[in-house]
Amino acid sequence: MPYVAGIGKVPEKYCFSITDFHDFDFCQFRFYVNHHLRKKYEIAEGSLNMTLGSLLDQAIKNYHLISGKVEKLDELTYLVKAAYKSFVEDLSKKGDKPSFYSSMKPFLTEETLKQAEQIFMDYYKGLEGKVNKSLGQVEFCKSPIKSEDGSCYLLWGWPDAYELAPDGMPEVVDYKFRENIERGKDEMDMDLMPKLYILLASDFLRTRGYKKARFRVRFWQVPKEEGFYEEFDLGVMDGATFLFKQKIDRILNNKEIRFCEKPFCKACKSDKRSDFLKQLQELGLNAI
């Protein structure tokens, strides 16, 4: 998901994505480096799995843009190729500047493209071509939250798709690619993620007359997995809003930095760690 440096009149310090909340819970140092210093793409390290997932997520968006009008199975490959081309073109435009796609550069190969094409076709075949219809193009989403002092926070992000389930309920869908499916299921966030994405999609759904909605996770390698979902009454979302307000207040009121020190944490293990820490101390944050 590309980073947005500030949204409208709201400074980036007060804009939060689901990744931000996960980062703060896992490693406060990584959160502050990514969020307050805006170094997310400087320390990002891509992977084959991340690249495959990103290509597939864009491919399903492309599929919905053509309203699922596929006459031959081979036509699905063009949707993945279009995603691949857009990533490569973005990299070319950005040059050496760190971006959402720059960490994927080593993995954007013909071999990866072929693998993504096969996964996409297998998913389609697994559903016998019965992919749920799109309710409309997914745009950048934001959901405002008023703080007690009158300032405004924003939740922001991009769901992968808005789809209509066979029972007539709209679904806000997050597609997932996981190399280890069982581990992916065990680690799936079905607490914060459903609430945040439904809040983000509320305006889109309400303006189309929907009063209820379902958040659903779909796994690319398990097309018929239907167990990861939660249903919401769109008129009763105060509890979710209050939950995120509490989490944001906790983040903004915190003045201490904790380190996870995990070997795979690109913030804790960065060769710029001391420089990052100095910049954060200048913002009034102290390591403990």
Side-chain angles (χ1 to χ4, degrees):
M1 181 186 297
Y3 178 82
V4 175
I7 304 170
K9 296 181 179 179
V10 180
E12 55 267 29
K13 180 179 178 180
Y14 302 107
C15 303
F16 297 85
S17 68
I18 189 65
T19 302
D20 291 326
F21 294 117
H22 289 164
D23 276 351
F24 187 80
D25 289 340
F26 177 76
C27 178
Q28 291 179 2
F29 182 58
R30 186 169 76 185
F31 166 81
Y32 287 120
V33 169
N34 287 343
H35 190 266
H36 282 37
L37 300 184
R38 304 187 297 283
K39 302 295 184 181
K40 182 174 182 177
Y41 300 135
E42 290 187 26
I43 65 170
E45 183 171 304
S47 67
L48 174 60
N49 291 336
M50 172 184 155
T51 305
L52 284 169
S54 298
L55 286 170
L56 291 165
D57 291 350
Q58 184 58 50
I60 195 66
K61 289 180 171 66
N62 294 343
Y63 177 87
H64 285 321
L65 281 175
I66 64 170
S67 302
K69 295 178 181 178
V70 177
E71 295 182 2
K72 298 179 180 179
L73 191 61
D74 287 349
E75 293 176 14
L76 293 171
T77 64
Y78 296 117
L79 302 176
V80 184
K81 283 184 172 70
Y84 181 90
K85 182 180 178 181
S86 68
F87 287 16
V88 172
E89 288 178 348
D90 187 273
L91 274 170
S92 179
K93 291 177 183 177
K94 294 291 196 309
D96 295 330
K97 183 179 179 181
S99 70
F100 176 68
Y101 302 105
S102 58
S103 65
M104 300 181 205
K105 187 174 181 179
F107 307 97
L108 284 171
T109 65
E110 287 295 321
E111 183 178 353
T112 302
L113 173 60
K114 293 298 182 185
Q115 190 173 347
E117 290 173 352
Q118 189 62 56
I119 294 168
F120 195 66
M121 286 195 291
D122 288 345
Y123 179 81
Y124 185 85
K125 288 189 291 186
L127 292 177
E128 300 172 342
K130 298 176 182 178
V131 180
N132 289 341
K133 293 182 179 180
S134 171
L135 289 171
Q137 186 175 353
V138 178
E139 303 285 354
F140 170 76
C141 301
K142 58 183 182 292
S143 181
I145 297 177
K146 288 289 185 181
S147 66
E148 292 180 359
D149 64 6
S151 58
C152 184
Y153 307 146
L154 281 181
L155 302 177
W156 64 274
W158 285 268
D160 287 328
Y162 302 131
E163 298 176 350
L164 186 64
D167 62 1
M169 184 174 287
E171 293 189 339
V172 180
V173 185
D174 193 42
Y175 283 82
K176 297 291 187 184
F177 177 82
R178 294 290 186 268
E179 183 178 23
N180 186 321
I181 291 295
E182 294 308 315
R183 180 178 175 182
K185 290 179 180 180
D186 289 342
E187 296 177 350
M188 192 58 55
D189 171 16
M190 291 303 291
D191 179 20
L192 294 183
M193 187 168 61
K195 298 176 180 67
L196 187 142
Y197 278 111
I198 289 294
L199 282 172
L200 291 176
S202 287
D203 286 348
F204 177 92
L205 297 172
R206 285 176 177 173
T207 57
R208 285 156 178 77
Y210 292 107
K211 296 181 179 179
K212 293 185 178 182
R214 182 183 296 127
F215 170 82
R216 185 179 296 280
V217 173
R218 294 199 177 280
F219 295 94
W220 284 110
Q221 301 103 308
V222 193
K224 293 187 177 181
E225 170 62 68
E226 297 287 337
F228 288 78
Y229 71 91
E230 185 174 351
E231 296 182 358
F232 294 86
D233 184 333
L234 297 177
V236 189
M237 296 298 295
D238 289 347
T241 300
F242 182 70
L243 170 65
F244 287 111
K245 179 183 175 299
Q246 282 188 314
K247 293 187 77 67
I248 293 170
D249 284 340
R250 176 182 167 226
I251 290 171
L252 295 177
N253 289 329
N254 182 61
K255 300 301 179 184
E256 298 177 336
I257 305 172
R258 296 181 183 275
F259 304 85
C260 72
E261 301 295 4
K262 299 294 184 182
F264 52 81
C265 179
K266 302 308 173 186
C268 288
K269 302 307 175 183
S270 172
D271 57 5
K272 296 182 179 180
R273 172 170 169 157
S274 60
D275 182 49
F276 291 153
L277 186 56
K278 181 179 178 180
Q279 293 178 59
L280 290 173
Q281 289 173 333
E282 291 172 353
L283 295 177
L285 294 162
N286 297 301
I288 59 172

